[in-house]
Amino acid sequence: MLRRLPSKNKPDDRKKRTIIGADLPETEIFRGDLLIQSLSGFPRSIGCMYYYDDTGSALFERLCKEDSYYLFRAEQEILAQYAKSVANITGPASIVELGSGNAQKTTLLINAYVENHGPTSYAAIDVNRSILEKAAENLLSMTPDLNFTGIIGVYQTGLEQAATITGPKLLVCLGASMGNMYDDELHDLLRSVRSLFAPGDYFLVGIDLDKNSDVLEAAYNNQSAILTNLCVLQHLNWRFDGNFNVFQFRHVAFHNKSLCRMEAHLEAMQAQSVKLKKLDFSFCLEEGEMIRTEIMRKVNVHTFNEIVMKHGLNPVHHWTDYERRYAICLYKIVDG
Ligand SMILES: C[S@@+](CC[C@H](N)C(=O)[O-])C[C@H]1O[C@@H](n2cnc3c(N)ncnc32)[C@H](O)[C@@H]1O
């Protein structure tokens, strides 16, 4: 059962700030059984949510400032230019965000809703508790006409919580996060959106468009990207009392053109035996063996629309940045 906790923050913020799921055990968010399954598969993999402990979230913020990581700036440019258009199309709505992080770019959207429609509610879903606290602080200091709800948890449980919010809703997923999902995860999420949200609700999704391998590989091979990737192992060591020797791994990120995605891996530079004590799980890695840590889909709008439309969401409009590197697509949930 999820409990609502009052904020410890400034007294006038309290009425506007709710955190849901603060008593949810982290073992229900970062599930050991799922990790064992993915580390036992071929190829071995680690879910990308393991990027986002406090160190990883800080490194992601640093990555967003890297010159070669164009995604953040391109999405910000689109929101700065078109957030009001989104607000005009949808009319008043509560905003719900999947994987909000620090919600820096979302501020542009929230401000457009406040300006166009008056006081607005915003619910941010994220696995990282402290990033939600940070998002609340930033947003409430900048936008007083906002009701903030932080929902700690994975997308699916977060969506179930958010679906109980009454009235029209705009669901948002920025940072190309839907591109990190494997096919089954993407379809499961879209199925949930369709079944939990109402006809007439909207879904706004940021997608990274397919492009030249050099540009893509530069975005995921800078210093922050390398550190972020390696930190996944430190996260696992800390959370599950593991013994990954981080210094014996190498970051590998490449454009897999045939699957239209970038892939990030960690390659073992020597054979090693790994144990995650809290999970009572061990396995052996051979020299040169890779663990896949993330996929990042690179699509065009038409292909992405086809995937989304299979789940009863109709494309309404999309916007791109000036250089057409990135798109933000708006969908509407249809009847029936
Ligand atoms: C790529 S970052 C994007 C952050 C922000 N939306 C942006 O555009 O800058 C992904 C965010 O989603 C969160 N996240 C990753 N996997 C998640 C999951 N399965 N459920 C909920 N949140 C998740 C991470 O903690 C992180 O803050």
Side-chain angles (χ1 to χ4, degrees), residues 49 52 60 72 75 97 99-101 105 125-128 131 153-155 174-175 177 180:
M49 63 196 271
Y52 300 102
F60 177 72
F72 183 90
E75 191 170 53
E97 183 166 13
S100 64
K105 278 169 288 171
I125 301 166
D126 208 290
V127 287
N128 184 316
I131 205 86
V154 294
Y155 299 138
L174 300 177
S177 293
N180 299 137

Side-chain angles (χ1 to χ4, degrees), residues 242-255:
N243 69 342
F244 279 104
N245 183 346
V246 180
F247 299 104
Q248 289 303 332
F249 284 87
R250 188 172 80 87
H251 161 90
V252 179
F254 59 86
H255 187 199

Side-chain angles (χ1 to χ4, degrees), residues 17 58 61 101-102 129-139:
R17 186 167 174 273
E61 287 179 16
N102 65 11
R129 293 164 193 238
S130 29
I131 205 86
L132 287 175
E133 296 283 345
K134 190 171 167 182
E137 249 155 64
N138 292 344
L139 289 169

